[in-house]
Each structure stands twice: as structure tokens, then as C-alpha cells.
Amino acid sequence: MRKGSRIIVLLVWVVLLGLLFGRDYLVEDLQLWETAALERGRETSFAGVYFRDERIGFVRSRLVAEAEDEVLLEQEAYLLLNILGEQHPVRMRLSASLDASLLLRDFSFVLISPFAETGVQGRVEGRDLLLELDTPRGVRQERIRLRDAPRIATNRRDYLLSPDLTPGGRVRVNYFDPVSLAGQERVLEYRGRDRVVIHGRIHNLHQFSETFAGMRINVWLDDEGRMVKEESPAGFVFLAEPEFRATDIPRAGPEILTSVAVPLIGRLPADLARRDRMTYRLELAADAGLDPAEDLDLAGGRQSLEGDILQVSRQPWPPPAGAGPCSPEGPAAAAIRAALSATPHVQSDDPELIALARQITAGAASPPEAMARLADWVYAGLEKRPVLGIPDALSVLATRVGDCNEHAALFAGLARAIGLPTRIAAGLVFQDETFFYHAWNEVCLADQWYSVDTTLNELPAGLTHIRLVTGETAEMVRLGALLGKLRIAVATD
């Protein structure tokens, strides 16, 4: 089976690492003791990153006062991922300049992995964060409006341990994540003291927890506010460790992709290819923290959901004669406008993408034919191989290499460039006797969302494509709550 059809989970992992990495990034609305925190934070600290009790990477953090009114934060994260027996290193680097109150002035972030490099710089201008993203066509600028001046924190989280904090007390945190280029608000709840065994030693620590995108994230701090342990149900565990231990990464950790695959209970029917629909039962662990009807995009288009029963219907192709792009003025106006808009990762307003899309679809007799031509071009034009990074359409066009994430980003960029409302769907596909996480596209024609998989060359996608979420990198993180928590069962029609 092509590795590219499984690799969406690695994008989720990179985003989740960025979210935990970014936890020490932009923070506001906290009662900080800035001077004390800074005095105690002039040090370099390390944390080991674990998956299934094996160390697969580390995070290094350093906070230094450069001058009376300037503070420098430096962070580095490193992962060595085992993907189907091959080692894939991933690095993230962040440097930020802060004022004496730890308010952000500017930053630079880069993510580097085999076949991919993502870079972004930013600076604060009033209540705006001006971003400059590195692309093969040069620097692209984006502007994000902030609720307030962003504040910075470090791995020293003294600010959470206020003197009047009692179990059940809450702290609101707002930050910007440099991986997904999105801001998120979090509420951390203090759970009180907790005795935790780490490397054979008992620690009496302060525990905080939060729920984000259905995931329960826990962090344990010592009395000085140092992070000792942090974990998420997606499989990450961070442990504060000395440098020699944190950076001791074995050459082969646990294999990532198959360890988070979703098992199928029962057998698919032998006549699946001739069926018009397929019915599944979703078995979600009680501690998953998600309401499938509210937190996932399971219903709509070719999918319908009733309780825990999901039905996937085969879409006829081509659409009815005269089917055109969905209008951004109808009942689903907001969704259509979003599916037509250029974004930092789907740069459909770029002249090169527009010219290429027009060239590929020149002479197409209808929007469905134009869609099919774009799908054929993307399928044939990209080398199928795993790429660990944050895909964007322009970079994929430059390298012509990628997995399902890259295929979906490039197709979305080309389709939107000629006015076809297109979104990215992520979920599951059945291959090699199990379900793997995967990404594809949906295009809105004649008030219907038609699926297209340019990695597996399916138009429309088959009955074992199960959509869980739609959106881009910031929305993909919702899949993290499902890792190890979901099973799919064949239901009786």
C-alpha cells in the first residue's frame, strides 16, 4: 500500500507537537509575576518526548535577558519518527524577542523534515500579528488580529501557581500556534496535588488539566513552576530530564502509523464495489472526550449519522447536466466562501496557480470535467512518498512530491483558483485489512459536495472513505482525540 495514504496522522502529530511546543509561546490574560519568573528562568532546560514509553525526541528551551528591556527565548524540538521501518527526523526551531514584561515583539519559526521545510516570521503591530511565510515564490504576508498584546511564557510556568489557587480553580490562556498559524484559547483547571512516579522516583506535583478539541491534556508542575510531566491522549508524553538523557534518542522507536490504525470489527462484504451504500457502527471509547455528532463532521454530503450508525453512500458521477459551482450566496454561504478563499496553506490567489489551473482545464466543457482534469493532473504529477511537514499548495507545486496532505492542498489550490469551491476532508480509508488516517478533497457542485481522492485516484471516493473532519491544519488536530480511541464495525444494512 502507498505510504502516502496513511500519512495524515503524521500531520496531526506535527500539529499536536506544535501545540504543546507552542504552549510556551504567546500567552495573555494571566496574572504573571514577570520579574520573578524571568529571574528564575535564566537557564536551559530539556524535556524528553515519549511515545508508548519510548523516547522519540526532545525539546530544549532557553530564556535569556539580552538587555534591560529585551528578553530572548529560544526553543528547539526534535523527533525521530519510525514510519514503516524508516527513520524520519523532524526539527522545529523558534526564537522570539520579548520586552521586559515578556510581551512579544517578533519571532522566527522553522520546521524541517525530509523533503519539506516550513518557515514563518512574525512581528507585533499594535493588536495585529503580521506574518511572513516563506514560499517557493518568495515571502507571502498574512495578518492576524489579536484580542490583546500577546504575552510570552516559558517552560517555567510560575504564573499558574498563584497563592490563592485551589482545586477546581481555572486559568484562561490564549496563544498563537506557529505550526497551524491559528490562535486558540484554553482554560486550565487546577486538580490539586498528585503523586507521580517518574523514572522510579515519586514526585508530589501540582496537576493541571484542560480539554482541547476533545483531547484531555495534563501537565504536572513542581513547587517552582517547572514542567515535570505533560501528556496528551494522542500518545505524546513530555518528561523534564537532564540533557544527556533527553537527547539520547534510539535509532528505532515504535512504528507510528500502524500503532494508531483503526481496527475493523467484522468483514467488508465481497460485493462492496457493486453496492450503493455501506453502513458502519462507530465504537468510540468512553474517555475519548468527543461527541461525534457535535465535534466531528460525520454528517452531510454522502454521509449520514444516526446515533452511532454511519451510512456512506456512493455518489453518482458525473453530476447532472448543467451542474455548476455552488453559489456563495445561498444557505451555506459561509462554507462556500471559505471553500473559495485563499489561505496561508492554500494560496489559490497566486498567479502561478491560477495560470496552471486554467491551462489544465482549458477547453473543459463543464465544471465537473474541469474538476476531473485537475484530479488527473494532481494524481499523475506528484511522486507518492511521505513528507512530514505542513503542506501548502505552492511548495507542493515546486517539489512535486508528497502524500495525501500534499495532494489535497495542491488540488484545493488549483480548484479554488478557477472558482470551484473545494475543501480538505480528513478521516479514514480502508487498506491492508484496517483503517488508516487519510486526507482527500470535496468539491461543491449543484449544491452537493463531491468527494475526490487524488492520492488513490478515486473520483468519487469509495465507500470505505469515512470523513471525520473538514478544514485545514488547525482543524486536523481534532483527529488527535481519536487516536487509539476509535473502532469501526460493519453494521447490518
Side-chain angles (χ1 to χ4, degrees):
M1 189 195 75
R2 297 181 182 90
K3 296 178 184 178
S5 64
R6 302 180 179 183
I7 221 75
I8 182 67
V9 72
L10 296 177
L11 173 60
V12 175
W13 262 60
V14 169
V15 174
L16 287 172
L17 179 63
L19 290 172
L20 296 179
F21 185 52
R23 188 72 54 83
D24 300 329
Y25 199 44
L26 310 182
V27 180
E28 66 172 351
D29 295 336
L30 293 173
Q31 197 70 22
L32 288 181
W33 311 323
E34 288 95 345
T35 303
L38 179 58
E39 289 297 325
R40 291 193 295 272
R42 288 193 181 104
E43 60 184 42
T44 299
S45 62
F46 287 82
V49 182
Y50 288 77
F51 178 65
R52 301 208 166 182
D53 298 326
E54 294 193 42
R55 191 183 300 108
I56 62 169
F58 68 88
V59 177
R60 178 186 66 86
S61 300
R62 185 169 185 258
L63 185 70
V64 178
E66 291 287 291
E68 183 177 347
D69 63 344
E70 183 177 12
V71 179
L72 178 65
L73 173 67
E74 295 180 343
Q75 291 182 320
E76 176 186 12
Y78 173 79
L79 289 177
L80 186 61
L81 301 180
N82 179 354
I83 304 173
L84 301 178
E86 297 180 1
Q87 302 298 310
H88 291 256
V90 180
R91 291 186 180 274
M92 299 184 192
R93 298 193 185 100
L94 166 70
S95 62
S97 175
L98 325 171
D99 67 15
S101 298
L102 304 185
L103 292 173
L104 180 72
R105 289 176 172 171
D106 56 66
F107 75 94
S108 176
F109 173 80
V110 64
L111 185 154
I112 303 172
S113 68
F115 311 110
E117 180 171 339
T118 300
V120 59
Q121 300 80 45
R123 66 178 184 274
V124 175
E125 293 184 352
R127 291 184 56 199
D128 289 350
L129 185 62
L130 181 63
L131 301 176
E132 296 182 344
L133 290 81
D134 299 332
T135 76
R137 290 180 54 82
V139 175
R140 181 183 176 92
Q141 293 188 341
E142 301 282 345
R143 187 178 294 268
I144 295 178
R145 174 56 58 96
L146 305 170
R147 291 198 326 152
D148 203 350
R151 192 179 290 275
I152 204 80
T154 75
N155 64 307
R156 299 294 298 265
R157 303 173 192 179
D158 313 61
Y159 54 83
L160 292 175
L161 300 177
S162 61
D164 58 349
L165 186 64
T166 58
R170 297 185 174 188
V171 180
R172 185 163 63 93
V173 180
N174 201 40
Y175 75 100
F176 170 76
D177 169 34
V179 177
S180 63
L181 302 180
Q184 299 287 346
E185 183 176 273
R186 307 282 188 88
V187 176
L188 286 82
E189 179 182 349
Y190 181 54
R191 307 297 292 273
R193 290 279 190 172
D194 186 26
R195 293 169 65 85
V196 181
V197 178
I198 301 175
H199 295 321
R201 295 181 56 189
I202 298 176
H203 301 259
N204 188 22
L205 304 173
H206 300 276
Q207 182 184 2
F208 291 82
S209 67
E210 62 176 295
T211 299
F212 172 68
M215 294 180 293
R216 174 70 68 177
I217 298 174
N218 295 296
V219 60
W220 289 264
L221 309 179
D222 66 13
D223 289 337
E224 299 298 318
R226 299 185 183 92
M227 188 281 293
V228 178
K229 179 179 180 180
E230 187 161 8
E231 67 179 15
S232 79
F236 281 120
V237 175
F238 289 60
L239 295 178
E241 296 177 328
E243 179 180 3
F244 78 89
R245 178 175 291 170
T247 58
D248 181 19
I249 312 300
R251 295 303 301 173
E255 203 284 315
I256 300 297
L257 299 183
T258 55
S259 65
V260 295
V262 176
L264 174 68
I265 310 303
R267 296 184 63 84
L268 293 174
D271 62 345
L272 180 65
R274 298 190 299 275
R275 289 195 168 211
D276 293 329
R277 66 181 185 274
M278 185 64 203
T279 306
Y280 303 97
R281 185 176 67 254
L282 307 180
E283 299 184 357
L284 194 61
D287 62 346
L290 283 176
D291 180 343
E294 296 293 332
D295 300 322
L296 299 175
D297 298 327
L298 286 163
R302 68 197 196 107
Q303 297 185 186
S304 61
L305 180 69
E306 184 173 346
D308 62 353
I309 299 299
L310 177 72
Q311 183 171 277
V312 181
S313 298
R314 190 178 302 279
Q315 295 175 301
W317 188 266
C326 298
S327 170
E329 307 299 329
I336 301 305
R337 284 196 295 269
L340 286 169
S341 300
T343 70
H345 297 127
V346 181
Q347 308 100 327
S348 53
D349 58 353
D350 182 82
E352 183 179 2
L353 278 174
I354 294 172
L356 177 59
R358 289 174 176 172
Q359 175 187 335
I360 296 169
T361 60
S366 66
E369 183 181 343
M371 173 183 169
R373 288 191 185 188
L374 291 176
D376 288 342
W377 190 92
V378 173
Y379 171 74
L382 267 61
E383 180 184 355
K384 312 303 189 272
R385 63 190 311 169
V387 174
L388 283 73
I390 308 301
D392 69 272
L394 286 176
S395 295
V396 179
L397 183 60
T399 63
R400 307 291 177 93
V401 172
D403 49 62
C404 61
N405 304 308
E406 280 70 28
H407 285 69
L410 180 55
F411 179 85
L414 291 169
R416 292 181 192 179
I418 57 169
L420 296 178
T422 304
R423 62 190 184 188
I424 297 174
L428 303 168
V429 66
F430 187 78
Q431 292 189 325
D432 292 349
E433 303 305 316
T434 193
F435 279 99
F436 291 95
Y437 287 91
H438 187 50
W440 59 95
N441 295 98
E442 294 180 343
V443 178
C444 195
L445 301 172
D447 297 326
Q448 296 290 328
W449 289 98
Y450 286 89
S451 58
V452 53
D453 187 335
T454 57
T455 310
L456 301 178
N457 196 27
E458 294 187 17
L459 173 60
L463 295 179
T464 65
H465 282 68
I466 298 177
R467 186 192 64 229
L468 299 174
V469 301
T470 58
E472 296 184 25
T473 307
E475 289 76 23
M476 298 296 177
V477 73
R478 286 185 286 164
L479 296 177
L482 299 174
L483 301 183
K485 305 289 186 179
L486 177 65
R487 300 194 307 173
I488 303 293
V490 174
T492 303
D493 289 338

